Amino acid sequence: MVRSVFSVLCAFSMLSVSLAQYQMMMNVFLEGYSPLDNRIVFDNIGAAKLGCDKEYDCGGITREPNGDFTLRKGSGGMVKKSNVGEVSWVKSGPQMAMGQSNYQQQQQQQQQQQRQQPMQTQNQQLDEEASALDMLPDLASLVSSLK
């Protein structure tokens, strides 16, 4: 136990990335893997942090007893007590909210594009019909000239 805490603290102190937006918590874990319930393993906290920052549903990082760093959902920063000495870094503040709002924004943009596609197709059809109707007087005069 002391050795694993020491190794985590050493890894933590050697980081070249900032963990300012994460709160380190001892003997807890975040439930659920991110992204989309897939277990992705990192060798160190720095790489895991970069991975977590890219995933909209990542609520933090948990260092498992075997030394693996995994991305976790941890809905709303909720943690559970660990009986095996896990350590977690929980996203805090605006970073967590920003990740969720970015995802929501992407979802809204996709939905808007999907709604616009049928409207664009319908507008194209109406334009084609209008062009055909505009040609009717020309056709009528052409037919009368042929008589």
Side-chain angles (χ1 to χ4, degrees):
M1 171 74 168
V2 173
R3 183 176 170 214
S4 65
V5 171
F6 177 74
S7 63
V8 168
L9 292 175
C10 286
F12 186 77
S13 66
M14 289 187 263
L15 288 178
S16 60
V17 293
S18 170
L19 289 171
Q21 296 296 319
Y22 289 79
Q23 178 184 357
M24 183 179 177
M25 303 177 78
M26 305 296 285
N27 297 312
V28 297
F29 67 95
L30 290 155
E31 282 192 304
Y33 292 108
S34 168
L36 307 173
D37 294 320
N38 292 314
R39 184 176 184 269
I40 298 178
V41 177
F42 294 88
D43 294 333
N44 60 65
I45 186 67
K49 188 248 184 223
L50 292 173
C52 190
D53 288 347
K54 293 178 184 177
E55 298 298 332
Y56 74 89
D57 69 343
C58 185
I61 302 155
T62 295
R63 183 180 181 272
E64 297 176 354
N66 63 1
D68 290 345
F69 292 86
T70 55
L71 306 184
R72 301 295 185 99
K73 286 183 184 177
S75 302
M78 295 294 293
V79 294
K80 297 234 175 184
K81 184 177 178 358
S82 171
N83 295 325
V84 293
E86 291 167 297
V87 179
S88 292
W89 289 263
V90 181
K91 273 187 184 178
S92 60
Q95 188 174 10
M96 182 67 172
M98 189 174 94
Q100 290 173 350
S101 67
N102 284 346
Y103 171 70
Q104 290 168 345
Q105 197 173 37
Q106 287 175 354
Q107 292 293 94
Q108 288 172 351
Q109 287 173 348
Q110 287 176 351
Q111 289 171 356
Q112 188 176 11
Q113 287 172 349
Q114 289 170 352
R115 283 192 299 264
Q116 286 177 348
Q117 265 181 334
M119 288 172 25
Q120 288 172 346
T121 303
Q122 189 177 18
N123 287 342
Q124 286 173 347
Q125 289 173 344
L126 290 172
D127 287 345
E128 290 171 7
E129 289 173 9
S131 294
L133 289 173
D134 288 344
M135 292 174 49
L136 282 179
D138 293 338
L139 288 174
S141 63
L142 180 64
V143 168
S144 25
S145 69
L146 293 174
K147 290 183 182 178

